[in-house]
Amino acid sequence: MVAYKSKMVESISLPPRDRRERNLEAAGYNVFNLDADEVFIDLLTDSGTGAMSDSQWAALIRGDEAYAGSRGFDRLESAVEDVMGFSHVIPAHQGRGAENVLYGTVLSEGDVVPNNTHFDTTRAHVANQGAEPVDCPVDRAFDPDASDPFKGNFSLERAREVVDDVGPERVPLVIQTITNNSAAGQPVSVENTRRVREFADEIDATFVVDACRFAENAAFVRRREEEFADREIDEIAREQLGHADAVVMSGKKDGLVNAGGFVATDDADLYERCKQRAILYEGFPTYGGMAGRDVAALAVGLREAVEEAYVTDRIDRVAAFGEMLADVGVPIYGPTGGHAVYLDAGSALSHLPAEAFPGQAFVCELYREGGVRGVELGSFAFPETDRPELVRLAVPRRTYSREHFEHVAETAATVLEKREEVVGFEIAAEPEIPELRHFTAGLEPLA
Ligand SMILES: *Cc1c(COP(=O)(O)O)cnc(C)c1O
C-alpha cells in the first residue's frame, strides 16, 4: 500500500534520440560519464538518491551546527538506541567513513575477514588495513533461478574452512552484510545471524553487521521467517542487530538521507578506541564529517525507515518492478531483493560472449532506447571473476512511481526485440586500478 504522496517535484524529460546517441558516444559508452540531466529515469544507484520526507526537511531546518554536543546529535543517539538498540554512536560522512573508523581500529596486517559478501568499499577498507577479505556466500547466492528465501545468508561452512585453513587467531573480525548488496540485495535470516554470532564467539572474534539495509532486511524476515511473522519491523531489526558487537551504517541507504553514516556499538571500550580514529579522519565525534542539519535529518530518517507502511511499500515496489520486467520476457535474477532488480544480460544477449561485455551492451541500449540509466555488474565491473553478467536497476527510495517503472520495462522489451542487432564492446581506455575500471573506463563498440 502506497505510504506517501508528492509535495515537491523535479522536472525530468527524455532527450531526443539523436542527442542520446551523441551523449553515449561522448561518454565513451560508460554511463557514469553521462550528465544526469540527460538521463530520463536514473536507476544507477539507490545510494543517497531518495526523497526526504517533510519531517526530515523540517528537522534539517531546525538542526543546529554546534561543533560539539549538538541537539541533532542527541536526536541521532536516541534514534539509534530506539531503532537499532545501540547506546554509542559515532557519525561519519558516509558508510565508507564509518568503515574506515571501525575496520581501521580493529584490523591489522595479516588478518583474515570472512563476510557473506564484501561490498566494494568494505573489501577495499579491509584490504587497506593489510587484511584479507574472504567472501562466504551460500551456494546458490549467484544462481538467478534459485528461489530460496534467504540467498543473502552467510555460509558458516565456508567461514569454518577459512578458520581451519589460517587458524582462529588470524580471524579477529567477522562481518555480515544485511541485505547482501553484492549478492543482488538478497536478505539474511535472523537465524543465520544467530549462528554467525555463535561462530564469532567460538573463535573469539568481533562480530560486525553491515547494517546499510537493515530495515529492508527486517521486512523480508517478517515475510519469510516464520518465527517473526507477527513481529514489528523495528523489533525484528533490534533482534537481528542485537547479536552484533557493532554495526556500520550508510545513512544513504536505510537512513533515508542524501549523505551520512555512522558506527554504533554497546561496547564502551570499542567506542573509545573508534573515537580517536574518527577525530583523525571524520571529525569531532558528535558530527563526524556531516553538517549538523544532516545529522538531524538522519535521526528522523532512521525512524521512518522502520515504519511498516514505508518499508513494506518499498520492497513491494521493487518486487512489482521485477514482475513488470519478467512479464515482458526480460530474464531477471529472482527472487527480487530489497533495493534493485537485476537483469540477466548474459542470457538476454546470449549471442555476446563475456569478453564483449553483454551487460554493458544492455546498459547502453537502455539509455539509447529510453534514456534509462542502470549499471553493469558483470565482467566489466568485476574483471577476472566468473560472476553472472548482471545489470542492476537500483530503485531510489520514495522517488519513482509505477509509470516510471513501466517506461523502463517497455524500454527493456524494445532492447530484447532488437537483441540480434545489439553489438558488444571492447575497452578503449583503462584506468590503473582494474577493480575500479567500470567507473571511468572508456569503451568502443565492436564492429
Ligand atoms: C553503500 C554501502 C556501503 C558504503 O556506504 P557509502 O555511504 O556509499 O560510503 C557499505 N556497505 C554496503 C553494504 C553498502 O551498500
Side-chain angles (χ1 to χ4, degrees):
M1 190 83 79
V2 184
Y4 45 85
K5 60 182 179 178
S6 308
K7 183 161 178 174
M8 188 191 286
V9 296
E10 180 179 349
S11 300
I12 54 172
S13 64
L14 177 63
R17 189 176 184 102
D18 60 330
R19 217 162 80 204
R20 302 200 299 269
E21 295 277 4
R22 279 202 307 276
N23 291 339
L24 262 185
E25 197 181 331
Y29 299 92
N30 184 335
V31 293
F32 279 99
N33 295 332
L34 291 171
D35 283 342
D37 280 347
E38 295 291 312
V39 175
F40 185 38
I41 311 281
D42 201 350
L43 306 183
L44 186 66
T45 175
D46 67 316
S47 177
T49 51
M52 290 205 297
S53 68
D54 50 358
S55 304
Q56 286 181 288
W57 282 103
L60 198 92
I61 291 191
R62 297 187 61 99
D64 61 317
E65 301 301 332
Y67 189 94
S70 69
R71 189 163 68 232
F73 179 69
D74 288 346
R75 303 235 159 97
L76 179 63
E77 264 190 328
S78 57
V80 170
E81 172 89 64
D82 292 349
V83 173
M84 302 173 110
F86 294 100
S87 52
H88 300 297
V89 188
I90 301 175
H93 76 282
Q94 61 183 82
R96 67 201 68 184
E99 292 180 323
N100 180 34
V101 167
L102 181 58
Y103 303 144
T105 301
V106 300
L107 289 177
S108 336
E109 183 94 31
D111 291 342
V112 175
V113 181
N115 187 333
N116 41 348
T117 316
H118 287 81
F119 176 68
D120 320 17
T121 61
T122 317
R123 181 184 308 282
H125 275 294
V126 168
N128 197 36
Q129 299 308 318
E132 189 193 336
V134 182
D135 288 343
C136 301
V138 293
D139 282 346
R140 288 208 280 267
F142 294 101
D143 177 351
D145 301 316
S147 61
D148 314 26
F150 291 106
K151 284 158 84 176
N153 276 356
F154 181 108
S155 166
L156 287 123
E157 293 70 25
R158 284 191 198 195
R160 289 211 160 87
E161 277 167 28
V162 172
V163 171
D164 287 347
D165 217 32
V166 303
E169 60 292 334
R170 281 187 62 198
V171 186
L173 175 71
V174 177
I175 307 173
Q176 187 179 48
T177 307
I178 70 170
T179 55
N180 192 342
N181 183 354
S182 304
Q186 295 296 300
V188 170
S189 69
V190 174
E191 179 54 25
N192 187 246
T193 302
R194 287 183 185 132
R195 292 179 57 210
V196 176
R197 169 78 266 173
E198 288 162 12
F199 167 68
D201 285 342
E202 279 164 35
I203 61 168
D204 202 20
T206 300
F207 175 30
V208 169
V209 167
D210 179 331
C212 293
R213 298 182 180 79
F214 76 101
E216 291 167 10
N217 200 78
F220 282 113
V221 164
R222 191 172 54 195
R223 288 208 180 147
R224 298 182 186 175
E225 200 167 356
E226 222 185 311
E227 177 187 345
F228 297 97
D230 302 319
R231 302 275 294 278
E232 302 290 333
I233 299 293
D234 61 328
E235 280 182 314
I236 297 170
R238 280 193 301 278
E239 156 87 33
Q240 187 159 34
L241 302 178
H243 293 293
D245 297 306
V247 295
V248 284
M249 179 71 190
S250 167
K252 303 171 75 160
K253 316 318 179 5
D254 281 352
L256 306 185
V257 287
N258 306 115
F262 57 83
V263 174
T265 182
D266 272 340
D267 180 334
D269 175 54
L270 182 62
Y271 171 62
E272 288 306 325
R273 285 162 61 214
C274 285
K275 252 193 336 205
Q276 302 312 312
R277 194 172 169 91
I279 294 170
L280 185 60
Y281 286 101
E282 295 293 312
F284 190 75
T286 62
Y287 74 89
M290 297 170 74
R293 54 182 172 271
D294 289 334
V295 175
L298 173 56
V300 175
L302 271 182
R303 292 184 191 277
E304 292 179 353
V306 291
E307 278 171 15
E308 146 108 44
Y310 158 71
V311 73
T312 309
D313 173 68
R314 165 81 178 149
I315 62 169
D316 283 349
R317 221 170 254 256
V318 173
F321 178 31
E323 273 165 36
M324 285 177 205
L325 287 159
D327 284 349
V328 295
V330 179
I332 65 165
Y333 178 107
T336 44
H339 66 290
V341 177
Y342 292 73
L343 312 186
D344 184 354
S347 118
L349 302 178
S350 53
H351 62 291
L352 298 178
E355 308 82 75
F357 306 127
Q360 189 61 18
F362 209 103
V363 165
C364 288
E365 292 308 315
L366 285 174
Y367 180 74
R368 194 196 311 272
E369 292 298 333
V372 175
R373 177 155 70 169
V375 66
E376 195 264 9
L377 293 176
S379 300
F380 178 45
F382 303 110
E384 330 235 333
T385 58
D386 52 357
R387 299 222 195 176
E389 302 295 334
L390 298 181
V391 170
R392 184 184 72 185
L393 300 175
V395 179
R397 295 172 179 77
R398 305 189 287 205
T399 303
Y400 291 121
S401 56
R402 193 167 181 93
E403 287 87 342
H404 299 111
F405 297 126
E406 278 167 1
H407 170 81
V408 179
E410 281 161 24
T411 302
T414 309
V415 175
L416 271 191
E417 275 160 33
K418 300 185 179 171
R419 78 178 87 185
E420 300 302 328
E421 298 160 34
V422 175
V423 299
F425 284 93
E426 62 184 351
I427 293 179
E430 186 155 16
E432 265 173 47
I433 309 174
E435 286 77 18
L436 301 178
R437 75 179 178 190
H438 81 136
F439 294 111
T440 55
L443 296 131
E444 250 166 44
L446 293 163

